[in-house]
Amino acid sequence: MSTMSCSSNLSLAGARTVLPPCRPAAPLPSHQLTSRRRCSSSRLVVTSALSTDETKAPAKEKPASVIGDMERGTLAEESGRSDGQLTSRWREIHGSNNWEGLLDPIDTVLRGELIRYGEFAQACYDSFDYDRFSRYCGTCKYPPKSFFHDVGLAGVGYDVTRYIYATSHVHLPNFSIAKHDPLDDRMWSETATFIGFIAVSSDQETARIGRRDIAVAWRGTVTKLEWVEDVSAFLKPIGQYGIPCEDPRVKVEAGFADLYTGKEPTCKFCKYSAREQVLAEVRKLVELYAGKGEEVSVTVTGHSLGSAMAMLSAFDIAETGANVSPSADVKAPVCVYSFSGPRVGNTWFGERFEKELGIKALRILNVHDTVPKVPGIFTEALLPMPLLRVADALGLPSVYSHIGVLLALDHEVSPFLKRTFDLACYHNLEAHLHLLDGYTGRGKEFKLGGRDPALVNKAADFLKDEHMVPSGWRQELNKGMIRTEEGKWTLPHRPRDVEDHPDDTDLHLAQLGLAVAAAAT
């Protein structure tokens, strides 16, 4: 049984581990974050809470902390992360040699890229509207055109081309109370939720990183329906979900696959499944840029449940051929950067994923986190792989195996983090990014690379009290309430255009041999 939540409430029942869904920190536009300030060069900087009593630094000294590795240019160059090597090394960083020689000690260019894609997954949480009183609960708070700016990652060098929405085959309401007027139905769905996005590198960023990169990012469990799917831990052949794998031995966790392929024809957001949304957009972008003669890559990332979605979608992209440009006869390499992900399938799934489809996957986890240890009764942690394959061939129940190369981190190594029994802290994505930032190698000194530790407490209580950073500090002013001219407090309407699915979605699905989705009624 899988556990995708960041909550600290954990119950153990035999091989089962169930975590209820977590509530992400309330997303804010960057101008409302009280602990951020904008410097004169327009780069977004965190005002560190770790040195409040120190004297002001000399003017020439570089800022002590940067949000992730998002802001490129002089500041990033000085941090040692964007040193011009990506142009010639991107295939190596993308896993062409399975990251041999890059993990211990860790390659600084790779570390910067991992933090960058981890920030993409974190942005899915930070932009999610989880206020159950909001008319738009379950959607993304920001429009695609200004997404990275609004979420605090201006200058990232990517443009969002499409949001991903998901629903479940389980027909239950996602939220506990009715929050909308029927007139708001154009903006709202009771079952569909924003779960990720697809973005493509800009021309300038493409020149810096050496190829046109298509990024697919997924968030972890937030809603009730996702929690239901998390605990559906039995295996089913992946071919039963429409993914064109003819080998019936290749099986995946049913709950993950249900969420990935579920759709509702009458819903504006999910008349196409998350699967169809991803495949159509990736195929369109690969054909667009590879057709121009550009080198193209597909990079998929996610945290927790989002990691499972990343593994499934990467498999599907390669299996379906969405990463292939027919006009240019080019296949874009597919890579997964997984953060704190559960097991997704059996040994045959892993064999097909790595050896036959050639997908590369790097799994980043905290060794104290429970989520990567589930689901499965018979796993690689219990049996050597040869015996695990035998168990799988014999049809033993709940045979699962992890995929890819492992990068194991340990939060006890960080001098900034306190000892706690809160399992949500062990699983927290911001904590993982902090650990990456300070990781230099196994048994080596923890040395920050420029990312502010204060971000760890954005939605958690993990930093030592001596650093004077309040827990869960990322909050919206008055929780979004405003005072009207009449003196009453209310949650305002959030006027915005809800973009429909692209008109060419059916065209690209048809090119992949997939049935055209039913139009919403």
Side-chain angles (χ1 to χ4, degrees), residues 317-337:
I317 288 167
E319 188 72 80
T320 308
N323 62 323
V324 176
S325 169
S327 64
D329 193 26
V330 171
K331 179 185 292 186
V334 181
C335 166
V336 178
Y337 294 129

Side-chain angles (χ1 to χ4, degrees), residues 129-147:
D129 187 346
Y130 193 66
D131 185 349
R132 66 191 186 100
F133 296 104
S134 169
R135 294 177 176 87
Y136 316 103
C137 185
T139 66
C140 180
K141 298 192 76 171
Y142 311 124
K145 290 182 180 179
S146 60
F147 176 83

